[in-house]
Amino acid sequence: MTTRIGVITFPGSLDDADARRAVSLAGAEPVALWHGSHDLDGVDALVLPGGFSYGDYLRAGAIAALAPIMTEVKSAAATGMPVLGICNGFQMLVEAHLLPGGLIRNAHQQFIRRDQRLRVENTDTVWTSQFTAEQEIVIPLKNADGGYTADADTLARIEGEGQVAFRYMGVNPNGSLNDIAGLTNERGNVVGLMPHPEHAVEAGFGPDTTAAMRSGVDGLTVFTSAVAALVASAA
């Protein structure tokens, strides 16, 4: 049976089609889901894509976190379903309390777009299992509200429990505490990150590498990791 991964579209989503293509390139069937529905259509995993849901009014991701489908997302995550939040999707996950902390305006108060070096900090999650520990990757980044923040106790807890999934390398682009670029929940099925792995899945369209321009496909491993884990669990 083909693995089916749902990609939820919210008003203001920009990268939902890109996420569906990434799912397809990873060997799964992408399923388009709508924010106003309570039906997950029997999918095996979920992706909350990037964009500017509801124009980022109030706080980025805050309104989308209250969308009807998020009730189902939270219930599915509680059962162990893999859930990935990318950029605006990461903001939704923290606003929905599926991940700790919060995301605020970039420290320099400007939108940023760059190919960002990252270090993979945790390979025990559904979405990072095919990376190697401390692997360095390059993923495109584009955000205005990407500064990760948390109180001192929360920060100590997520560091102590290994919940940092990705960390910025070379430069901290948005003022995130401890250079945090992505997090996982304790169970390892929910992951959020600010950079966009769906923009580094196909040669000719990704970041530059030493081999060739636009040949970087490091982001594809995020999606193939989940597909492999789901196939293994179904065997």
Side-chain angles (χ1 to χ4, degrees):
M1 181 179 294
T2 302
T3 300
R4 303 172 74 246
I5 299 180
V7 179
I8 305 171
T9 297
F10 298 83
S13 292
L14 299 179
D15 301 294
D16 44 348
D18 301 81
R20 291 195 299 270
R21 181 162 180 77
V23 167
S24 180
L25 290 170
E29 176 188 348
V31 179
L33 301 176
W34 184 241
H35 73 108
S37 173
H38 281 283
D39 185 6
L40 295 183
D41 199 14
V43 299
D44 303 299
L46 291 164
V47 177
L48 281 60
F52 300 91
S53 60
Y54 297 93
D56 277 352
Y57 294 117
L58 186 58
R59 290 184 309 275
I63 300 175
L66 301 175
I69 203 166
M70 290 301 292
T71 301
E72 315 309 323
V73 172
K74 288 188 275 190
S75 295
T79 68
M81 179 181 286
V83 178
L84 176 68
I86 303 169
C87 196
N88 195 216
F90 185 13
Q91 293 160 346
M92 295 177 204
L93 292 178
V94 297
E95 291 288 346
H97 305 296
L98 287 171
L99 291 174
L103 291 152
I104 59 175
R105 194 73 174 174
N106 292 349
H108 44 68
Q109 300 296 303
Q110 295 179 340
F111 182 90
I112 188 168
R113 191 278 180 229
R114 57 176 288 122
D115 291 337
Q116 178 66 48
R117 289 173 58 212
L118 303 172
R119 183 171 64 236
V120 182
E121 297 286 283
N122 185 329
T123 59
D124 293 329
T125 83
V126 173
W127 299 95
T128 61
S129 58
Q130 291 190 330
F131 290 108
T132 58
E134 299 187 353
Q135 181 175 344
E136 296 183 16
I137 61 176
V138 178
I139 302 290
L141 173 78
K142 50 176 186 175
N143 65 70
D145 298 272
Y148 181 76
T149 188
D151 61 56
D153 289 343
T154 299
L155 201 60
R157 176 173 58 81
I158 63 176
E159 290 284 5
E161 295 180 3
Q163 287 183 246
V164 178
F166 299 94
R167 209 178 300 269
Y168 295 118
M169 292 191 66
V171 63
N172 183 323
N174 45 36
S176 290
L177 297 181
N178 291 19
D179 299 327
I180 292 172
L183 293 175
T184 178
N185 64 346
E186 294 180 6
R187 190 169 183 173
N189 63 304
V190 178
V191 168
L193 73 163
M194 286 310 297
H196 287 259
E198 78 281 12
H199 294 325
V201 296
E202 190 171 12
F205 300 92
D208 294 343
T209 71
T210 55
M213 293 177 62
R214 300 182 181 179
S215 60
V217 293
D218 289 340
L220 186 60
T221 304
V222 173
F223 299 93
T224 58
S225 292
V227 173
L230 288 164
V231 170
S233 66

